[in-house]
């Protein structure tokens, strides 16, 4: 028996406040709970957090530096968010991530507000709840990286443009009251222009390329000429919008160009925009079909709701093309996937901007189950989702041990909790129906996040972050002693022992590849010694070399897939006289 737990008519203000409270509760737990329990991980997060710390400690909020060396890979917005977190909470993992998590929450609330203008509060709540719990969105919300701020800025830009165009075409939304409040008609246009500037501050030129690539075909497919006509007929609107965009972006780009000129252009625009897209210079190759797989996996636990949305759109493609909102959302989803599929460098975060559109599309299907009474479809998709959750939960125990290196107890406890959550979801589905199951599903994420913070993050942090060995190196380093990597390097040291490692002119960590190089560098050092971090499998080349004197100072387990060979060891190396 289906239970309609959401009202069928437009919700009163009391219910709307309940929706808002539920979203705030979801954001508070999913984005913020245990935010500082996991050390900075991966190649990027420690570097970005360190750049933010150097901005915060130096007081120079314009020039990005890594280890005191100019580092122009990304624009400033994420650095500023992390630096503000440091000011509020001190220099820590929580401080580095707080601003990003807050931005993610703002993105969810913005989506709720805009979606409510388009299709009502019920649709807005369901879509926003999907976004909070889509695997990739909280994953990136809990890390100090650039993809989440870009996604929020693009979401604000695209949704503002849609409502501006809608107000011109149909007279809908509160901007339709132009007769009484003429200045309101173009408020969405001003928000759109500001958000474009914010997107460029978040991650560079992609902040204007993607919106243009989405909006242009939307205007063509919907034959919406009023927006273009407004800009041509009223050039003042275009010029003032462009001015707002440039003023927003120029907050950082202006001082950077004035200070660093050609160096900034070469590093930021040529190397990290054009060469990154057109080549594999940064060594992130993936097959052409990579991003569709990322979209499916990244939307867990809503993956099969997404599949159902794709199937419905393909089946009813004529009806889809007559619905302006669906056309807009599908372009928003498909254009970035297609654009980045041609890139020579592919990382999962590149398509994070599609997830607000993905959530809004899934929300359309969820609302249709209420309004059109399609219980069989809802029940089938919900059942498949429950089975999928059971399978993922069962696999968590094996993967947690083999891939993440978790202790057996922690891995299987986490697996048991995941299975229990899936069982509860299936019981709700059987006893109360598909609609109730959909309402319960977002809140299962709360249980998973809380459990992961206590069971997964500690073990994962010991394996995937170089924090422990970096702090050991700082403690044992002699006056004037520096550190190099041997064969392989790990960027985790950037945040935890910033001034210790040797760097090249681009602030890349120095990694030597021969024992002779290590010995010569140790001999030339002021301390007559050198700290070396090496994978255990290569350390014998140093410890067994007759010309070197070595002392092991520390050891840290690394990736469970290759342990113990890839475990890190910290050595002090001297050249024998």
């Amino acid at each position: 028996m289906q239970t309609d737990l959401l009202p069928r008519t437009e919700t009163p203000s009391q219910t709307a406040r309940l929706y808002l409270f539920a979203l705030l509760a979801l954001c508070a737990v999913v984005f913020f709970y245990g935010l500082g329990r996991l050390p900075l991980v991966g190649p990027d997060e420690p570097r970005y957090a360190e750049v933010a710390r150097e901005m915060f400690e130096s007081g120079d909020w314009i020039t990005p530096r890594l280890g005191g060396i100019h580092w122009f890979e990304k624009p400033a917005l994420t650095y500023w968010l992390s630096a503000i977190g440091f000011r509020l909470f001190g220099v820590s993992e929580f401080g580095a991530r707080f601003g990003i998590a807050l931005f993610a929450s703002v993105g969810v609330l913005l989506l709720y507000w805009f979606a409510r203008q388009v299709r009502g509060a019920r649709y807005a709540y369901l879509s926003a709840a999907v976004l909070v719990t889509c695997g990739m969105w909280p994953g990136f919300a809990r890390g100090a990286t650039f993809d989440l701020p870009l996604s929020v800025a693009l979401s604000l830009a695209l949704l503002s443009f849609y409502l501006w165009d809608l107000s011109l075409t149909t007279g809908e939304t509160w901007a339709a009251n132009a007769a009484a409040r003429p200045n309101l008609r173009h408020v969405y246009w001003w928000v759109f222009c500001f958000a474009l500037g914010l997107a460029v501050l978040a991650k560079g030129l992609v902040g204007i390329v993607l919106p243009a690539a989405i909006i242009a075909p939307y205007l063509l497919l919907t034959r919406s000429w009023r927006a273009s006509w407004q800009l041509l007929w009223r050039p003042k609107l275009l010029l003032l919008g462009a001015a707002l965009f440039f003023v927003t972006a120029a907050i950082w780009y202006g001082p950077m160009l004035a200070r660093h000129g050609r160096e900034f252009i070469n590093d930021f625009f040529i190397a990290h925009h054009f060469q990154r897209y057109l080549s594999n210079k940064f060594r992130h190759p993936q097959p052409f079909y990579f991003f569709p797989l990322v979209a499916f996996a990244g939307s867990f636990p809503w993956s099969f709701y997404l599949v159902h949305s794709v199937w419905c759109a393909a089946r009813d493609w004529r009806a889809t093309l007559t619905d302006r909102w669906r056309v807009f959302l599908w372009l928003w989803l498909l254009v970035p996937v297609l654009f980045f599929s041609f890139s020579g460098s592919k990382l999962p975060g590149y398509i994070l901007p599609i997830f607000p559109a993905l959530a809004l599309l899934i929300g359309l299907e969820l609302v249709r189950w209420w309004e059109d009474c399609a219980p069989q479809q809802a029940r089938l998709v919900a059942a498949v989702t429950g089975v999928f959750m059971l399978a993922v939960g069962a696999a968590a125990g094996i993967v947690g041990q083999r891939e993440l290196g978790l202790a057996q107890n922690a891995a299987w406890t986490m697996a048991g909790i995941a299975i229990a959550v899936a069982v509860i979801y299936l019981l709700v589905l059987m006893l109360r129906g598909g609609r109730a199951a959909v309402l319960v599903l977002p809140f299962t994420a709360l249980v998973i996040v809380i459990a992961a913070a206590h069971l997964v993050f500690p073990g994962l942090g010991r394996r995937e972050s170089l924090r422990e060995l970096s702090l050991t190196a700082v403690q044992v380093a002699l006056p004037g002693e520096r550190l190099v990597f041997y064969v392989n390097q790990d960027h985790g040291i950037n945040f935890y022992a910033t001034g210790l490692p040797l760097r090249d002119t681009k602030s890349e960590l120095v990694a030597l590849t021969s024992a002779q190089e290590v010995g010569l560098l140790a001999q030339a050092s002021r301390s007559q010694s050198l700290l070396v971090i090496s994978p255990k499998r290569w350390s014998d080349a140093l410890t067994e070399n007759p010309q070197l004197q070595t002392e092991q100072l520390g050891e840290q387990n690394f990736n469970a897939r290759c342990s113990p060979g890839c475990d890190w060891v910290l050595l002090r190396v001297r050249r024998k006289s």
Side-chain angles (χ1 to χ4, degrees):
M1 177 181 176
Q2 288 290 330
T3 303
D4 194 351
L5 300 180
L6 292 178
R8 292 180 180 276
T9 59
E10 181 63 36
T11 56
S13 58
Q14 186 176 3
T15 307
R17 285 196 297 270
L18 182 61
Y19 290 162
L20 192 58
F21 176 79
L23 290 175
L24 289 172
L26 285 169
C27 290
V29 176
V30 174
F31 298 157
F32 291 94
Y33 186 85
L35 191 61
R37 292 181 66 89
L38 183 68
L40 302 176
V41 296
D44 294 328
E45 194 182 23
R47 290 186 290 180
Y48 298 156
E50 175 54 29
V51 173
R53 175 165 64 181
E54 294 186 33
M55 277 189 172
F56 167 65
E57 292 179 347
S58 69
D60 180 359
W61 291 55
I62 298 299
T63 302
R65 295 180 179 87
L66 181 60
I69 300 171
H70 290 170
W71 202 66
F72 298 158
E73 181 174 319
K74 295 290 191 295
L77 183 58
T78 289
Y79 303 142
W80 291 345
L81 292 172
S82 292
I84 291 170
F86 292 150
R87 182 177 293 278
L88 294 173
F89 304 103
V91 177
S92 62
E93 290 90 348
F94 182 89
R97 294 165 175 154
F98 173 79
I100 311 302
L102 185 62
F103 225 69
S105 303
V106 171
V108 170
L109 297 178
L110 284 172
L111 183 136
Y112 171 77
W113 190 88
F114 278 98
R116 189 176 179 185
Q117 310 308 306
V118 177
R119 296 284 170 98
R122 180 194 300 138
Y123 169 62
Y125 168 73
L126 291 171
S127 300
V130 170
L131 182 61
V132 176
T133 52
C134 257
M136 268 186 66
W137 192 262
F140 278 86
R142 299 177 65 91
T145 60
F146 287 81
D147 301 291
L148 197 289
L150 171 68
S151 301
V152 173
L154 287 181
S155 178
L156 177 60
L158 290 168
L159 291 170
S160 298
F161 182 87
Y162 178 82
L163 288 185
W164 178 65
D165 175 63
L166 192 67
S167 70
L168 297 176
T169 306
T170 66
E172 293 182 24
T173 75
W174 53 270
N177 299 322
R181 297 183 290 177
N183 293 331
L184 289 182
R185 178 174 291 278
H186 298 301
V187 166
Y188 290 123
W189 168 253
W190 308 126
V191 174
F192 167 70
C193 295
F194 165 76
L196 287 183
L198 197 65
V200 172
L201 276 176
K203 211 176 179 185
L205 296 180
V206 70
I208 53 175
V209 170
L210 285 183
I214 294 166
I215 289 170
Y218 163 73
L219 295 177
L220 289 173
L221 286 172
T222 59
R223 300 180 181 179
S224 179
W225 311 117
R226 286 183 179 270
S228 304
W229 180 251
Q230 280 282 330
L231 297 178
L232 294 174
W233 182 251
R234 301 180 62 182
K236 181 180 178 181
L237 190 66
L238 178 61
L239 292 174
L240 289 176
L244 179 58
F245 162 75
F246 282 115
V247 166
T248 304
I251 292 172
W252 181 73
Y253 286 91
M256 282 296 294
L257 286 168
R259 288 186 187 184
H260 305 291
R262 176 58 63 179
E263 179 191 4
F264 174 61
I265 292 171
N266 288 340
D267 282 1
F268 183 80
F269 290 106
I270 295 176
H272 287 286
H273 277 74
F274 301 113
Q275 290 179 1
R276 183 179 289 271
Y277 183 81
L278 296 172
S279 72
N280 186 31
K281 178 181 177 180
F282 297 94
R283 293 171 293 182
H284 300 302
Q286 294 292 347
F288 187 81
Y289 54 82
F290 175 68
F291 287 122
L293 297 180
V294 170
F296 175 81
S299 59
F300 178 83
W302 303 94
S303 303
F304 288 98
Y305 291 91
L306 173 63
V307 171
H308 183 263
S309 296
V310 173
W311 180 78
C312 288
R315 182 194 60 189
D316 305 324
W317 63 271
R318 288 186 177 87
T320 299
L321 289 176
T322 62
D323 185 332
R324 302 169 65 88
W325 181 233
R326 289 181 184 271
V327 169
F328 188 75
L329 293 179
W330 279 113
L331 287 170
W332 184 351
L333 189 150
L334 294 174
V335 167
V337 169
L338 188 62
F339 176 79
F340 286 116
S341 292
F342 286 100
S343 173
S345 180
K346 296 182 180 70
L347 290 170
Y350 288 2
I351 64 162
L352 190 67
I354 75 170
F355 278 82
L358 184 150
L360 289 164
L361 284 167
I362 293 174
L364 285 174
E365 295 306 313
L366 299 181
V367 166
R368 191 171 65 85
W369 293 344
W370 266 272
E371 295 177 349
D372 295 344
C373 298
Q376 290 304 114
Q377 292 183 25
R379 202 175 188 87
L380 176 61
V381 176
V384 173
T385 296
V387 173
F388 190 39
M389 291 169 62
L390 274 175
V392 171
I398 300 172
V399 173
Q401 283 184 271
R402 293 183 180 177
E403 301 296 319
L404 304 181
L406 301 182
Q408 182 179 9
N409 214 20
W412 285 105
T413 301
M414 187 70 220
I417 292 172
I419 291 171
V421 165
V423 169
I424 292 171
Y425 170 79
L426 287 170
L427 285 174
V428 172
L429 173 63
M430 290 187 292
L431 298 176
R432 303 298 298 273
R435 294 171 183 167
V438 165
L439 293 180
V440 167
L441 185 55
F443 292 92
T444 63
L446 306 186
V447 179
I448 298 298
V449 168
I450 293 171
H454 294 279
L455 296 171
V456 177
F457 292 175
L460 185 63
R462 288 191 292 270
R463 287 280 187 174
E464 298 297 327
S465 171
L466 203 64
R467 179 176 65 178
E468 292 183 7
L469 205 58
S470 299
L471 296 177
T472 299
V474 171
Q475 292 173 354
V476 303
L478 301 174
E481 194 170 42
R482 302 299 297 275
L483 180 146
V484 298
F485 284 87
Y486 187 64
V487 181
N488 299 118
Q489 58 183 225
D490 189 298
H491 289 288
I493 201 170
N494 280 293
F495 186 77
Y496 296 108
T498 312
L500 199 55
L502 291 173
R503 303 173 183 273
D504 64 16
T505 57
K506 296 293 185 182
S507 199
E508 292 297 325
L509 301 171
V510 172
L512 304 179
T513 56
S514 75
Q516 183 180 8
E517 289 179 308
V518 173
L520 292 173
L521 195 57
Q523 188 176 35
S525 171
R526 183 161 62 93
S527 64
Q528 295 290 296
S529 63
L530 192 67
L531 294 178
V532 179
I533 293 181
S534 168
K536 184 179 287 187
R537 65 163 61 97
W538 308 120
S539 62
D540 289 350
L542 301 175
T543 57
E544 297 177 4
N545 190 298
Q547 298 180 340
L548 301 178
Q549 177 185 339
T550 62
E551 175 189 3
Q552 182 168 323
L553 304 173
E555 182 174 341
Q556 181 178 334
N557 293 335
F558 190 53
N559 196 305
R561 291 187 296 272
C562 56
S563 184
C566 62
D567 290 348
W568 294 107
V569 293
L570 173 65
L571 305 172
R572 175 173 284 124
V573 178
R574 292 184 173 90
R575 187 178 174 88
K576 294 180 180 178
S577 44

